[in-house]
Every structure is written in C-alpha cells, then in structure tokens.
C-alpha cells in the first residue's frame, strides 16, 4: 500500500474524521477528495470549518475533469469511495479507477425508502433491485468490500447485488460536537423524565409516533415531558395534538448549536424515532453528550443500542411499543442506572478513533489488498 485516497460525498464530520483515523492507521500518505464543496447548511447551524483545517482536502468543484486529474495524480494509491451512486464527477473517477485497475473499496449507506406510503414509495421499492442494481453492477463486481454506513442492515445492499462476504457492518462515528461534554445522568434526570427529539419534522423521522405514544402515556397516568426541536411538515399537526390532549410538550423550533448541545446534555433520554433512516447521526451526538437512547428499529443507528446497551429499541412506526418502553424505563430506576452506567463506561467505543481500529482489524482479516503498511 503506497497511499490511500478517500473520496467523500461532502464535508461530513463523521466520514472525514473516520478517513483521517483510517489514514493514520494504514501508516501511508492519504488525502480526501470532496465531491461537494463548502459546508452549506452545516455552517449555518453551527458546525465549524476549523474542524477540517488540518486535513489535506481536494475540493472537486463539481468537475469531472478535476476529479479525473485527482485520480490520475494518485492512481498508484488505494482508492476508497465513500460515495458511488449520486455524485456524477465522483462516479466518473470511480469508473476510471476501475478501468485503470486501481485497488478500490467502497463505503455507503444501504438503500433506504424514505417516501410516505403511495406511488413514490412503490416506485422506489421497485427501482432498487432492478435499475439501481444494473447501474452499480460494475462497481459491485470489482470493489473489494463495502463498509455499510447503515450498520447491520445488509439486505438492501444484497438487493443491489453485493455479496454478503463483501459487506462489512459499520455505521457513522462522528467526533463529539464542538463545545459539548459527556454529561452522566443521575436520579434527578430519572425523576423528571424529559424526552428530547431533534431533527426535521417529516414523516420518515417519525415525530408523530412519539406524539401518539405521549397520548397513551397520559391516558396511563405516566408523567413525562417532551421537547421537539426544529420544524417541518408535521409541526403544526404535532402542536395541535399536544394542545388537544394537554400534553407537556415544548416546541422551540430551530435552536442554535449551543442550545441543542444543552438539550442533549440535560434531557433524561433521547428519542430517535425514524420509521426508516440509513443511520441518524443525531443519535451519536446525543450519546456523546450522555443521553441514553430510545430508538426505532427502522434506523441504522439502532446498532448502537443493540451492540453497546446504550438504550432501548422499539418497533418502527409502533406508538404502543414506544409508549410501553418509555413507561418501562420511567418506572425502573435500576434499568435507567444500568443503561447510563453502560454509556458512561463505554461511550468512547463510538468515537472515530475506536471505529477506525475496528475497521482496520476487519480489513486485516478479510481484505488482503487492504493491509496497513508494515502488517505483513
């Protein structure tokens, strides 16, 4: 291995941090090519461009010519493509890398159907195992492996034609939000049971599932309160339900990054409600601020609850199951303490440094072409 060139979709805190750590562990020169330039909305909501200042970054400026030149400059290096379907100039570089017989690995989310029930959802379900499969067949056949950003959800990748032995379960592992600290929870958090839900209020994010669960909990006499940040198509309806049932809910709208961090650090539990989401990096952000999880099985990040005991999962799109899990956790102080102890003792497992260790260990075992320098 002479070097590694990583191809990133955009300025993603998780993947850029991971590529940095992987490059260090491979023990060779490395750099990162960015399919999309600029922080965009990330900077508007408080992400800091200085996080990336020390990395060697090549912004491709939407140009196939720039992408192909970047490949040509480092074609003797290994090429890791963290996007392979939806950035045309990166796709051009990937096609050329295959033509040049470069050593290629892939990182990608598994296909995920985010559409509401209806014609678009049906069309997406038909597209993935047919036309999408044809479009990526040359990549699937050639690449050494695919790191699955969607955790353990491998079936959608198999629908695209990926062999099971090429699929490496993984996920997203960003560093802590700048300015945040890990804040352990204690009895006062359990006594005043405060549920936090962040993210755009859309059907696939599932905030209405929590609202229906809160109606059930009110009926059962379980005292909890909830905060829903952000806005979106569901916002007006959620507020109407909360008012109708006199629920203890707060809707602050969009909040600044410091305000969001304070909520992550003070809530009793973070609710990740997605009906279907490839991952959900807000889950990592909340966990690294010390918030235990209630998480839908429809989210890739449910892997963090399953693997590390960071919280409880509930059946996707099932308000009754969610309500029951909230009731269970709010009533059982021993369970709440155990989850928080797991999180306090093991939260570093989801930092990019430890995630990179796991990835390199897997590659050492399964991918002879991807051995770090000095490992043979």
């Amino acid at each position: 291995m002479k070097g590694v060139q990583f191809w990133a979709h955009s300025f993603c805190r998780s993947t850029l941090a991971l590529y940095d750590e992987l490059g260090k562990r491979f023990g060779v020169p490395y750099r990162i090519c960015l399919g999309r330039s600029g922080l965009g909305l990330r900077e508007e909501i408080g992400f800091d461009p200085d996080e990336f200042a020390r990395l060697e970054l090549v912004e491709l400026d939407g140009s196939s010519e720039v992408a192909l030149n970047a490949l040509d400059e480092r074609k003797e290096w290994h090429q890791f493509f963290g996007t392979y379907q939806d950035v045309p100039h990166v796709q051009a570089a990937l096609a050329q890398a295959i033509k040049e017989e470069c050593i290629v690995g892939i990182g990608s989310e598994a296909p995920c159907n985010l559409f509401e029930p209806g014609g678009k959802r049906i069309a997406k379900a038909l597209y993935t195992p047919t036309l999408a499969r044809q479009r990526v067949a040359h990549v699937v056949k050639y690449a050494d492996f695919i790191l699955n950003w969607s955790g353990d959800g491998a079936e959608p990748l198999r629908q695209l034609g990926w062999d099971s032995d090429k699929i490496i379960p993984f996920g997203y592992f960003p560093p802590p939000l700048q300015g945040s600290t890990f804040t352990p929870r204690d009895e006062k958090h359990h006594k005043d049971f405060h549920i936090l839900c962040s993210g755009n209020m859309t059907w696939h994010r599932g905030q209405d599932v929590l609202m229906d669960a809160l109606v059930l909990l009110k009926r059962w006499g379980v005292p909890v309160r909830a905060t829903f940040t952000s806005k979106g198509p569901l916002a007006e309806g959620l507020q109407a339900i909360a008012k109708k049932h006199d629920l203890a809910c707060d809707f602050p709208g969009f909040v600044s990054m410091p305000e969001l961090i304070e909520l992550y650090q003070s809530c009793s539990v973070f609710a990740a409600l997605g009906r279907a989401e490839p991952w959900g990096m807000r889950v990592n952000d909340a966990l690294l601020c010390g918030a235990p999880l209630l998480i839908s099985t429809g989210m890739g990040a449910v892997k963090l609850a399953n693997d590390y005991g960071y919280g409880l999962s509930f059946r996707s799109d099932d308000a009754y199951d969610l309500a029951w899990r909230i009731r269970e956790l709010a009533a059982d102080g021993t369970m709440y303490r155990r989850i928080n102890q797991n999180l306090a003792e093991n939260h570093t497992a989801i930092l990019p440094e430890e995630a990179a260790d796991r990835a390199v260990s897997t590659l050492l075992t399964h991918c002879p072409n991807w051995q770090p320098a000095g490992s043979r």
Side-chain angles (χ1 to χ4, degrees):
M1 180 183 287
K2 296 180 179 180
V4 184
Q5 183 154 252
F6 298 99
W7 299 78
H9 183 278
S10 59
F11 277 94
C12 170
R13 295 174 57 250
S14 175
T15 53
L16 294 192
L18 177 69
Y19 298 157
D20 184 31
E21 295 300 330
L22 285 175
K24 294 173 185 175
R25 282 153 182 76
F26 284 132
V28 295
Y30 62 97
R31 73 177 186 181
I32 304 169
C33 298
L34 293 164
R36 293 182 179 172
S37 300
L39 284 175
L41 289 174
R42 291 179 176 90
E43 190 165 14
E44 292 180 21
I45 62 175
F47 289 111
D48 189 344
D50 288 343
E51 285 189 70
F52 314 114
R54 62 186 177 77
L55 300 178
E56 183 182 353
L57 303 176
V58 179
E59 296 192 44
L60 303 178
D61 299 321
S63 167
S64 293
E65 181 180 357
V66 174
L68 290 170
N69 285 340
L71 176 67
D72 190 59
E73 290 171 356
R74 300 289 190 275
K75 64 184 178 183
E76 299 301 318
W77 288 12
H78 288 47
Q79 307 292 324
F80 181 94
F81 287 85
T83 178
Y84 75 114
Q85 293 195 66
D86 60 352
V87 183
H89 47 291
V90 176
Q91 289 175 285
L94 174 54
Q96 185 64 23
I98 293 173
K99 184 177 179 180
E100 298 271 0
E101 298 185 350
C102 301
I103 295 176
V104 170
I106 300 292
S108 178
E109 296 174 351
C112 188
N113 198 335
L114 306 182
F115 290 112
E116 297 183 39
K120 290 184 177 180
R121 186 173 182 83
I122 293 170
K124 178 66 179 289
L126 295 172
Y127 171 76
T128 298
T130 54
L131 295 178
R133 181 173 179 135
Q134 293 174 19
R135 286 181 59 227
V136 301
H138 63 299
V139 178
V140 168
K141 180 179 180 180
Y142 184 84
D144 289 331
F145 63 86
I146 181 168
L147 276 186
N148 185 6
W149 300 148
S150 298
D152 293 323
E155 181 54 32
L157 290 175
R158 286 192 284 266
Q159 289 183 9
L160 282 178
W162 287 98
D163 291 336
S164 295
D165 59 2
K166 284 190 175 184
I167 301 171
I168 300 174
F170 205 61
Y172 285 108
F173 300 95
L177 293 170
Q178 287 193 329
S180 69
T181 58
F182 184 86
T183 307
R185 301 315 197 253
D186 55 28
E187 183 60 31
K188 70 176 182 291
H189 296 95
H190 188 246
K191 185 176 181 180
D192 178 21
F193 205 84
H194 176 204
I195 303 166
L196 173 63
C197 175
S198 66
N200 291 337
M201 296 179 180
T202 58
W203 179 84
H204 80 271
R205 290 283 177 87
Q207 287 92 341
D208 55 315
V209 179
L210 175 56
M211 188 58 69
D212 291 343
L214 293 173
V215 172
L216 289 170
L217 291 164
K218 179 76 178 284
R219 189 179 305 160
W220 297 342
V222 179
V224 299
R225 60 189 180 97
T227 297
F228 296 80
T229 68
S230 196
K231 295 183 179 179
L234 297 185
E236 186 175 338
L238 295 175
Q239 292 178 50
I241 294 172
K243 183 177 180 180
K244 177 181 178 181
H245 295 276
D246 192 26
L247 302 176
C249 293
D250 185 27
F251 298 91
F254 292 112
V255 298
S256 69
M257 185 58 69
E259 290 172 316
L260 182 58
I261 287 172
E262 173 58 30
L263 287 167
Y264 282 149
Q265 292 177 170
S266 63
C267 65
S268 304
V269 67
F270 180 75
L273 308 162
R275 286 180 167 90
E277 289 190 54
W279 184 259
M281 274 188 277
R282 62 194 183 281
V283 173
N284 301 64
D285 294 338
L287 287 170
L288 291 173
C289 288
L293 282 181
L294 289 164
I295 185 166
S296 163
T297 56
M299 299 182 65
V302 73
K303 179 177 178 65
L304 302 181
N306 294 340
D307 287 2
Y308 302 109
Y310 291 160
L312 304 179
S313 64
F314 66 94
R315 290 188 297 273
S316 174
D317 201 19
D318 190 331
Y320 187 90
D321 194 44
L322 173 57
W324 187 259
R325 298 300 260 172
I326 295 172
R327 180 180 182 175
E328 180 181 27
L329 191 57
D332 192 335
T334 300
M335 177 189 292
Y336 187 73
R337 284 191 296 274
R338 183 174 68 248
I339 291 171
N340 281 289
Q341 184 176 353
N342 286 340
L343 185 52
E345 293 177 353
N346 302 307
H347 65 278
T348 58
I350 64 171
L351 292 175
E353 295 87 350
E354 294 201 21
D357 285 340
R358 293 192 295 273
V360 170
S361 177
T362 300
L363 293 175
L364 275 169
T365 304
H366 298 291
C367 299
N369 285 338
W370 288 79
Q371 305 302 299
S375 63
R376 293 181 179 177

